[in-house]
Amino acid sequence: TYTNKVHSADITVKKFDAGSPARPLTGAVFTLTKARAGEETADTVWTRPAAGETDSAVYRFADLPDGSYTLSESAAPAGYGAIGDVTFKIVNGTVTDVSTPAGGDVTWNAETLTFTVKDEQLDNGMITVRKEWLDFFGEPTDYNGTIDLNIIQWAQDIEIRHTVTVTFRYKDNAGLWVTAATRTATGYGDATVEWMWNTFTSSVESIEPSGGATYESLGEKRFRLTIPNTNTDTQIFVDVINNGYDPWKNYSSSNPYDGSIFNVQIGSTPSLLDGMSATGGEKTITLGTGGVWYQQIAVTSDDGLLSETSETLPATYNGRNCYYSITEDTSSLPEGYMLYQISTERISSGVLTAYNRKTSLDLTILKVDRTNRYRRLDGAVFALRQLDPEATGNLGMRTLAGGRMETGTTADGGKLTFTDLAPGYYEIKETSAPVGYVLHGETAFYIRVTAEGIDLLEKAEGPAKDWGAAAADPGAPVTLAGAAATVTNTPGTPLPSAGGRGYDAFTLAGGAVLLALGTALAMKRRRRHA
């Protein structure tokens, strides 16, 4: 008898924004196509997320048979460009021949069989405002409701207008400087001035090196001086030293060379600085209506101030280039969430994103049979108590004043969830085992909830804040994975509780049995030696 083994592999795709730091990005649709082979008459196509499936920015394609595959981003999130195709093969259940698009937008991890996809923002003349909701661990989660974000308009600052003064002068026969002409202009940009040499001189000309001016000959005794853009008033001298000759001695209103020194010209194109000033224009947008967590707004060529009634975003305001940023209205932030990250840049096109993260943790307890962890146990009672992290002494006296205290019972497949645990230290104690099971000697375990996650702690003598994380042990009575604690019970019949009448009766009865057994053994020995 021969059996053909069916090989398969599981592929995971994780989606992120290409910004820094990288954040999970929902809204993509991925299509995986297996090329037909053998007797197959058509390609096989899978789509994630499937209809009705929650988009968690993680897309999983399970139980893929051997074959040749193409992974495509058939729809990118709003404001982003889709990646090129990824191709690979599965041979005997092993992924091989992986080919990713050029540019590094897709990386492949052969150990975890995971493609990490990072989308670049589009420069499409639109501004996209996006919202992502994250759970306590920073993973995308669902949220039902709406939230307001404000779009803020900024205008790029124009460089300060400056005055350029160019003075033409020479030395007379006595060696004194004589001003021949002065030309002045006010504006922004590079300044230039041209002049003609006096026909009757061959003097050598020099320029005082102030303001970074440059000097060039245009031929035919014509010259040009260029003064680069500056933010301050500038004085430039054009000096002629000619051993007593007057290069501009013909410079007079009655002389035909009177116009040989021309006016200063300053470029008309504004020179812009990096600085921006808020114009006072704002617009509030509401996200989440109909479950859509993004909004796209076109940037038009209009010149104007942004307002609540604006349907587009003006490209300029008073002739200055406009940029836009966002702020979040924290008054509309739902309870239990914090503003985790928000775009701080000011952009003229692209994506502005705000991330809200849950500040409290839902801890789920899974109650299982120690001898068969697939068997879930209902009916176990747990008590939760928040500890004072600074307190010392008797553990029972370390309850945090005003902290959480509650009990619950596992049900619906051995589950119990303590919702909205704020950061802090907690004792979770099993007070009653399910029917047919016994409690362990140590029925309590301890956790620390922080903004970064949850730790299982090793109880010690000092205050809870000094307790270290418990060593990982998959066979321990309590294990922790993410926000789920698995607690085991051993099958058996519980003994009567210590200290009560049942305990006394059990002890007396047991003592009587042992006494009778001891007496019988003694009598047997005496007969044997008689």
Side-chain angles (χ1 to χ4, degrees), residues 27 38 156 222 243 247 288 335 337 375 387 396 401:
Q156 193 169 27
R222 190 180 182 95
N243 298 321
E335 184 178 355
Y337 281 89
R375 182 178 296 161
L387 302 178

Side-chain angles (χ1 to χ4, degrees), residues 102-276:
D105 294 336
V106 182
T107 56
W108 166 246
N109 187 321
E111 294 184 1
T112 61
L113 303 184
T114 300
F115 289 104
T116 299
V117 177
K118 294 184 178 181
D119 275 358
E120 295 286 349
Q121 298 180 9
L122 294 174
D123 184 8
N124 59 356
M126 305 276 285
I127 286 182
T128 302
V129 179
R130 291 185 59 86
K131 165 62 65 178
E132 296 285 350
W133 294 93
L134 307 178
D135 63 15
F136 187 84
F137 297 96
E139 301 296 333
T141 186
D142 288 336
Y143 176 75
N144 295 321
T146 60
I147 193 166
D148 292 339
L149 280 84
N150 296 322
I151 302 179
I152 312 298
Q153 184 187 43
W154 302 78
Q156 193 169 27
D157 294 334
I158 294 181
E159 201 166 40
I160 299 173
R161 295 172 66 90
H162 57 275
T163 298
V164 174
T165 301
V166 182
T167 298
F168 294 83
R169 63 183 183 173
Y170 65 94
K171 280 187 177 181
D172 62 12
N173 291 332
L176 300 176
W177 287 109
V178 178
T179 298
T182 299
R183 298 289 185 263
T184 301
T186 300
Y188 35 63
D190 293 347
T192 60
V193 61
E194 296 182 9
W195 68 94
M196 297 286 293
W197 263 112
N198 186 308
T199 305
F200 304 106
T201 184
S202 58
S203 302
V204 176
E205 191 171 21
S206 63
I207 301 174
E208 184 174 298
S210 60
T214 59
Y215 162 64
E216 61 181 325
S217 173
L218 302 179
E220 298 296 330
K221 294 190 176 184
R222 190 180 182 95
F223 300 87
R224 177 189 294 139
L225 182 71
T226 300
I227 302 97
N229 185 33
T230 177
N231 292 326
T232 60
D233 293 346
T234 303
Q235 169 72 71
I236 300 293
F237 291 98
V238 177
D239 296 336
V240 174
I241 303 174
N242 65 345
N243 298 321
Y245 288 96
D246 179 358
W248 289 292
K249 66 180 183 180
N250 296 321
Y251 184 85
S252 68
S253 58
S254 60
N255 193 282
Y257 294 97
D258 186 21
S260 61
I261 300 177
F262 304 99
N263 290 327
V264 174
Q265 302 293 320
I266 296 184
S268 59
T269 302
S271 180
L272 301 178
L273 296 177
D274 290 336
M276 300 179 196

Side-chain angles (χ1 to χ4, degrees), residues 412-435:
D412 298 326
K415 292 183 181 180
L416 168 63
T417 299
F418 291 108
T419 61
D420 296 326
L421 296 184
Y425 294 78
Y426 297 88
E427 175 193 73
I428 302 170
K429 185 174 184 178
E430 185 177 5
T431 60
S432 177
V435 175

Side-chain angles (χ1 to χ4, degrees), residues 229-460:
N229 185 33
T230 177
N231 292 326
T232 60
D233 293 346
T234 303
Q235 169 72 71
I236 300 293
F237 291 98
V238 177
D239 296 336
V240 174
I241 303 174
N242 65 345
N243 298 321
Y245 288 96
D246 179 358
W248 289 292
K249 66 180 183 180
N250 296 321
Y251 184 85
S252 68
S253 58
S254 60
N255 193 282
Y257 294 97
D258 186 21
S260 61
I261 300 177
F262 304 99
N263 290 327
V264 174
Q265 302 293 320
I266 296 184
S268 59
T269 302
S271 180
L272 301 178
L273 296 177
D274 290 336
M276 300 179 196
S277 299
T279 66
E282 294 190 19
K283 177 180 175 63
T284 300
I285 61 173
T286 301
L287 297 177
T289 305
V292 178
W293 291 101
Y294 69 89
Q295 187 169 331
Q296 291 184 304
I297 306 176
V299 179
T300 66
S301 59
D302 296 342
D303 185 290
L305 185 66
L306 181 67
S307 69
E308 290 292 344
T309 59
S310 298
E311 295 183 359
T312 59
L313 303 176
T316 60
Y317 176 63
N318 286 340
R320 297 182 292 160
N321 292 337
C322 283
Y323 294 79
Y324 295 91
S325 64
I326 58 171
T327 60
E328 185 167 279
D329 182 4
T330 55
S331 65
S332 65
L333 194 64
E335 184 178 355
Y337 281 89
M338 63 178 288
L339 179 58
Y340 180 58
Q341 184 269 340
I342 191 168
S343 298
T344 57
E345 63 268 29
R346 302 160 189 169
I347 63 174
S348 58
S349 177
V351 181
L352 296 168
T353 306
Y355 285 80
N356 289 120
R357 182 172 172 177
K358 204 169 188 298
T359 57
S360 58
L361 173 73
D362 294 346
L363 176 69
T364 298
I365 295 176
L366 302 175
K367 189 66 176 175
V368 300
D369 187 315
R370 185 170 179 80
T371 62
N372 180 6
R373 287 179 174 252
Y374 293 101
R375 182 178 296 161
R376 301 286 184 87
L377 306 177
D378 292 342
V381 179
F382 287 88
L384 178 139
R385 177 170 65 107
Q386 190 169 2
L387 302 178
D388 183 341
E390 306 284 347
T392 58
N394 188 303
L395 189 61
M397 303 298 291
R398 298 192 191 184
T399 303
L400 180 67
R404 288 278 293 273
M405 290 187 67
E406 59 187 88
T407 60
T409 304
T410 59
D412 298 326
K415 292 183 181 180
L416 168 63
T417 299
F418 291 108
T419 61
D420 296 326
L421 296 184
Y425 294 78
Y426 297 88
E427 175 193 73
I428 302 170
K429 185 174 184 178
E430 185 177 5
T431 60
S432 177
V435 175
Y437 289 83
V438 296
L439 296 172
H440 291 293
E442 176 60 73
T443 63
F445 64 95
Y446 302 88
I447 61 172
R448 174 177 54 222
V449 178
T450 68
E452 286 72 39
I454 180 172
D455 299 311
L456 185 63
L457 299 179
E458 187 73 42
K459 184 181 67 174

